[in-house]
Amino acid sequence: MDTTGPEERPWNTPPNTPPPPPVPPLLRGAEVDLRVSKRLLWVGGAAYPLQNIARVYTFTLHPRRMDATVRFFKNVAITLAVAFALTIIGTVTALGSENAASGILTFVWLSTVAALIYFIGELISVLSAQSHYVLAVETAGPSTAVVTSPNPQHLNQLVGYITHAIDNPEAEFQVKVESITISPKNYYFGDNVNMYGGTGNVGMAA
């Protein structure tokens, strides 16, 4: 008996076409459609012509923990160096105006404390970030689609299904997947992967 739901059942596919992979439970983000229709791969609202797809593969996005740690200590060192330099300037200024010097020193160290708190928060966000197993679809142009799933096997099956659609013009299918939002500066993307969207953060269709 065919128990495949209407959103998971391929249409206009040849008899030997494998069924699309089962949809795993959606755990993290909002769901989006990943489908092939009329020689276009749709990831949510973005369309990628199948003939322009250069590579489809899976890999694990790892947080840049070491880079974040090095960046943290570098930022702390620079911030403290500037703070001490301005403190010396403020001390020299005190010889002419004690009130002006006091104002400068208060501003300098309040700003320094605020900057250090920000750097600590940024470091913690990267150290506590999770790795994500993703599927990447690279095109002949600069754009790349990245999808994720809590079930790695689901993504591996999707690789085969997308490549089957590339080789078979009549193949069409549709499945539900997830979406997440991450900052590209906090993750290793393996090969050169161009990510687009937002400022700082990149919406990753999954």
Side-chain angles (χ1 to χ4, degrees):
M1 177 182 297
D2 182 8
T3 58
T4 305
E7 293 182 332
E8 301 172 32
R9 184 182 297 115
W11 64 91
N12 297 334
T13 54
N16 62 344
T17 301
V23 180
L26 298 176
L27 300 179
R28 290 190 295 270
E31 63 181 31
V32 296
D33 288 323
L34 186 148
R35 61 189 174 93
V36 168
S37 176
K38 298 179 180 179
R39 304 299 294 157
L40 291 175
L41 171 65
W42 291 87
V43 182
Y48 303 87
L50 290 179
Q51 66 270 22
N52 289 345
I53 293 178
R55 182 166 64 148
V56 182
Y57 62 104
T58 56
F59 67 99
T60 301
L61 278 172
H62 294 290
R64 295 176 175 265
R65 296 189 176 95
M66 180 60 69
D67 290 355
T69 302
V70 172
R71 184 169 63 246
F72 169 77
F73 285 110
K74 182 184 297 184
N75 289 338
V76 169
I78 293 174
T79 300
L80 291 179
V82 172
F84 283 122
L86 293 177
T87 298
I88 294 175
I89 294 175
T91 302
V92 173
T93 304
L95 300 177
S97 174
E98 184 175 345
N99 290 335
S102 177
I104 291 175
L105 294 179
T106 299
F107 174 78
V108 166
W109 287 103
L110 285 178
S111 300
T112 299
V113 171
L116 293 177
I117 292 174
Y118 173 80
F119 296 146
I120 292 173
E122 189 178 52
L123 175 64
I124 292 175
S125 70
V126 178
L127 295 181
S128 61
Q130 297 180 351
S131 296
H132 299 282
Y133 191 72
V134 301
L135 179 153
V137 180
E138 295 182 359
T139 68
S143 61
T144 300
V146 180
V147 302
T148 188
S149 169
N151 184 352
Q153 184 61 28
H154 182 237
L155 295 182
N156 294 333
Q157 291 173 328
L158 280 176
V159 171
Y161 213 70
I162 292 172
T163 54
H164 175 83
I166 293 173
D167 293 333
N168 294 271
E170 70 280 10
E172 299 186 356
F173 72 92
Q174 177 173 324
V175 294
K176 290 285 187 180
V177 283
E178 299 180 16
S179 63
I180 59 174
T181 300
I182 65 174
S183 175
K185 74 175 182 178
N186 293 338
Y187 281 85
Y188 293 107
F189 284 94
D191 295 339
N192 292 328
V193 177
N194 298 314
M195 307 302 299
Y196 299 94
T199 301
N201 290 336
V202 172
M204 302 184 70

